[in-house]
Amino acid sequence: DAGVIQSPRHEVTEMGQEVTLRCKPISGHNSLFWYRQTMMRGLELLIYFNNNVPIDDSGMPEDRFSAKMPNASFSTLKIQPSEPRDSAVYFCASSYRKGNEKLFFGSGTQLSVL
Amino acid sequence: RKEVEQDPGPFNVPEGATVAFNCTYSNSASQSFFWYRQDCRKEPKLLMSVYSSGNEDGRFTAQLNRASQYISLLIRDSKLSDSATYLCVPSGQGNLIFGKGTKLSVKP
């Protein structure tokens, strides 16, 4: 298996632009997580899905952030409009069971908002 | 109290040393626990799982103290390649909240 695949690896954009991050989880995994990592705040859970349904989005910082999982093999995290403080590494991870199984992370998307 | 707390370090130790990190958690309902390792500019990767009182894997030992709500990670005979940030994560109601991590630097 190719593992969790995220795209793009790097994204540089200007403030106010829309940003879409993509994730393909490992086939057969039914839980998907979006995390954001910064030096100051560490690894923060933004939202997680189980069987394509959002279970907990309490970590989503603002209405500017939205996430979807239209099917078991694809998820997006969208920021509209983007702001400089959104600059971070965004990780997607998947697991076989809800919560009680190990996470497999993608390589992350380094987002820079200028 | 934060959900998960870790000493950020850095822990600077010589090769061959034994080093231990603690991680405290607030959710007493947590049943399983994980230690992840994250190298600089890389994604976290699972190091160890802890489902009962502890787990041992080679030079690495994880122990769980439910009464005091902490888990520890012990690394024996440290190698240069052990230099990384170690993240703990208790498993609760499905969400997985990571600690900020403890940075370890092993020196020659």
Side-chain angles (χ1 to χ4, degrees), chain B residues 3-105:
Chain B
E3 289 201 50
V4 185
E5 292 197 69
Q6 294 184 252
D7 182 341
F11 284 62
N12 297 309
V13 302
E15 270 188 291
T18 295
V19 62
F21 317 130
N22 277 349
C23 169
T24 58
Y25 61 94
S26 61
N27 185 357
S28 58
S30 298
Q31 293 297 312
S32 50
F33 305 83
F34 306 96
W35 281 101
Y36 282 76
R37 171 199 168 118
Q38 186 174 25
D39 293 296
C40 187
R41 300 185 187 280
K42 298 285 189 180
E43 71 274 20
K45 293 185 179 179
L46 182 69
L47 177 67
M48 296 186 75
S49 305
V50 185
Y51 296 106
S52 56
S53 61
N55 191 12
E56 184 171 331
D57 183 4
R59 298 183 295 109
F60 298 84
T61 300
Q63 290 191 319
L64 168 63
N65 185 317
R66 289 189 187 275
S68 300
Q69 294 187 204
Y70 76 83
I71 52 176
S72 63
L73 178 67
L74 180 78
I75 305 175
R76 290 180 296 275
D77 189 21
S78 301
K79 311 291 185 189
L80 296 177
S81 58
D82 294 334
S83 297
T85 296
Y86 292 84
L87 306 162
C88 75
V89 51
S91 175
Q93 278 71 46
N95 56 347
L96 291 170
I97 307 296
F98 281 77
K100 287 190 176 181
T102 297
K103 185 173 182 180
L104 172 65
S105 181

Side-chain angles (χ1 to χ4, degrees), chain A residues 37-59:
Chain A
Q37 188 172 39
T38 61
M39 288 290 291
M40 288 294 293
R41 301 173 72 90
L43 199 61
E44 300 176 277
L45 176 63
L46 300 178
I47 185 171
Y48 82 96
F49 296 82
N50 191 52
N51 293 324
N52 311 338
V53 175
I55 303 300
D56 184 354
D57 65 353
S58 60

